[in-house]
Amino acid sequence: MNVVDPELRLSAQRALLGAIHPEVRMVKVRRDGSQITFTAICDQPFSDNALDALATAAAEIAADFPECEVDGRFVGSTAALPAENVLAEGWIFQRAEPGVR
């Protein structure tokens, strides 16, 4: 199993301090060569403040990895969160939700 680089994980955790708004359900980050994908899923439309905070976090990650391009994906969904290996997929944050273990 390939896990997300610890440096990328720590960069994302630092960048997200204070950036998680109530509508954010999950955040993950992955690197494939020189491409970093930063994904946030919410359960309602992102507020302007949440979008600004997440975009700032993505920019801070990009600053830590200047050789990479960061693709920010902000998705609204009330569907079940993906059933995937959280270490390999780079999950950084998951909100506690009723009925989710």
Side-chain angles (χ1 to χ4, degrees):
M1 166 181 61
N2 292 330
V3 298
V4 171
D5 174 19
E7 288 183 35
L8 177 56
R9 183 180 296 278
L10 289 172
S11 171
Q13 289 172 335
R14 181 195 46 76
L16 287 165
L17 287 173
I20 302 294
H21 287 254
E23 63 265 33
V24 178
R25 298 179 64 203
M26 186 266 291
V27 177
K28 64 182 180 177
V29 64
R30 282 194 60 156
R31 181 175 179 176
D32 185 19
S34 64
Q35 179 73 33
I36 293 174
T37 304
F38 177 82
T39 304
I41 297 177
C42 72
D43 62 358
Q44 58 187 319
F46 283 100
S47 66
D48 288 341
N49 287 339
L51 279 176
D52 288 346
L54 292 168
T56 299
E60 289 179 13
I61 294 167
D64 288 342
F65 296 89
E67 70 281 5
C68 295
E69 180 180 329
V70 176
D71 176 23
R73 299 178 183 181
F74 307 122
V75 181
S77 174
T78 57
L81 293 173
E84 56 193 9
N85 184 308
V86 297
L87 291 176
E89 294 300 320
W91 288 41
I92 303 300
F93 168 82
Q94 179 183 350
R95 177 177 75 184
E97 297 181 348
V100 176
R101 291 183 190 187

